[in-house]
Amino acid sequence: MMGVIGGSGLSRLSSLKIDEQIQLDTPFGEPSAPLFRGWIDKKPLIFLPRHGEYHTIPPHLINYRANLWAMHHLGVRQVLAVAAVGGINPELAPGSLAVPDQIIDYTWGRESSIYTAHFSADKHIDFTHPYDAVLRGRLLTTAQTSQIKLVDGGAYAVTQGPRLETAAEIKRLARDGADMVGMTAMPEAAIARELEMAYVTLAIVANHAAGLSDKLITVAEIQQTTTDAMTQVYRVIQGLLTG
Ligand code: HPA
């Protein structure tokens, strides 16, 4: 079954016919919200808003382990993570959508593994390609069919937040090879891999990253851009489910 983790601007999936809200406790504590079980075009789906139902949980305090454990527990094996990012690569202007193929992790102090006790050497996951190639391919094909433009590939730099970056930090990320910057892909992607779930990010470029335009970055701008992109995001999700 497919699970969707909604980011900023996607606290609700309006086309989802919800038949159950599932409040789960996990070995890692509570997920960000109840999990919504429902249907789009007769296909089952689990939806979870990453920042909570009312966007009250900042990126560094999200219980990533509980979120993914809960989804896995309900039978989710493919995760589509929707996330707002800042664009670093000039190809990634505000309003564009991208499917990154790499991650650079700058986060710190987050619970980043399901293994606290009972670790063994075979539990070191291979993370050469952090995103699932098959699910990425399906996402790109679906979008092409629906004539929605998705940028194929790019490195997603994950910062600690919740503050945005300095101009110098963005210059450094660009030198490191990052194409976009966000705050939530890690440890989400790694924990999904530990749980053997296929994971892919649909990134909504909400703004030019810090220092790359004359304007300051406002939350209003980020919200407006993500809201504007939602119709396309819904269509991609629908296509992925029914395709
Ligand atoms: N930086 C980090 N995270 C973000 C940004 C950004 O510029 N925009 C949306 N999420």
Side-chain angles (χ1 to χ4, degrees):
M1 185 167 43
M2 176 85 64
V4 174
I5 303 181
S8 299
L10 191 63
S11 299
R12 213 148 289 192
L13 255 183
S14 58
S15 50
L16 186 69
K17 289 186 187 49
I18 296 163
D19 62 13
E20 209 177 345
Q21 281 193 35
I22 306 161
Q23 200 100 39
L24 270 178
D25 200 14
T26 80
F28 306 107
E30 280 184 23
S32 296
L35 285 88
F36 298 93
R37 177 151 60 190
W39 308 84
I40 294 179
D41 295 346
K42 299 198 175 125
K43 299 283 181 184
L45 177 75
I46 299 286
F47 177 74
L48 178 63
R50 184 188 283 119
H51 298 282
E53 248 182 297
Y54 306 101
H55 204 288
T56 49
I57 310 171
H60 65 298
L61 296 180
I62 290 167
N63 193 338
Y64 296 96
R65 300 190 299 176
N67 287 353
L68 287 156
W69 189 96
M71 285 192 137
H72 187 272
H73 184 71
L74 295 179
V76 171
R77 294 296 179 269
Q78 289 100 29
V79 178
L80 173 69
V82 181
V85 298
I88 298 176
N89 186 321
E91 217 193 312
L92 296 176
S96 47
L97 301 176
V99 188
D101 62 355
Q102 277 299 329
I103 290 176
I104 308 176
D105 185 8
Y106 300 91
T107 67
W108 46 271
R110 301 183 181 190
E111 291 288 358
S112 56
S113 170
I114 58 168
Y115 300 112
T116 42
H118 311 296
F119 191 73
S120 56
D122 62 327
K123 304 253 173 28
H124 290 286
I125 50 164
D126 178 281
F127 209 45
T128 313
H129 302 291
Y131 292 110
D132 184 78
V134 176
L135 199 51
R136 279 192 79 253
R138 279 182 53 205
L139 193 56
L140 292 162
T141 311
T142 296
Q144 212 164 24
T145 313
S146 322
Q147 294 182 324
I148 292 170
K149 189 169 181 298
L150 296 188
V151 177
D152 177 1
Y156 177 146
V158 197
T159 56
Q160 176 70 356
R163 67 166 178 85
L164 294 154
E165 298 72 33
T166 66
E169 284 169 341
I170 293 299
K171 275 191 192 161
R172 172 196 172 204
L173 298 187
R175 279 198 306 273
D176 283 357
D179 298 290
M180 64 196 89
V181 55
M183 301 174 188
T184 56
M186 288 297 283
E188 206 170 73
I191 293 169
R193 179 67 54 86
E194 285 184 340
L195 290 166
E196 297 184 15
M197 300 155 97
Y199 180 94
V200 70
T201 288
L202 175 57
I204 306 166
V205 183
N207 54 280
H208 289 291
L212 299 182
S213 84
D214 303 335
K215 292 185 299 174
L216 294 181
I217 302 165
T218 66
V219 172
E221 176 198 2
I222 294 179
Q223 279 170 345
Q224 190 59 52
T225 324
T226 45
T227 307
D228 291 348
M230 275 315 144
T231 322
Q232 289 183 307
V233 172
Y234 289 134
R235 278 173 56 207
V236 172
I237 294 172
Q238 196 169 22
L240 202 54
L241 277 174
T242 55

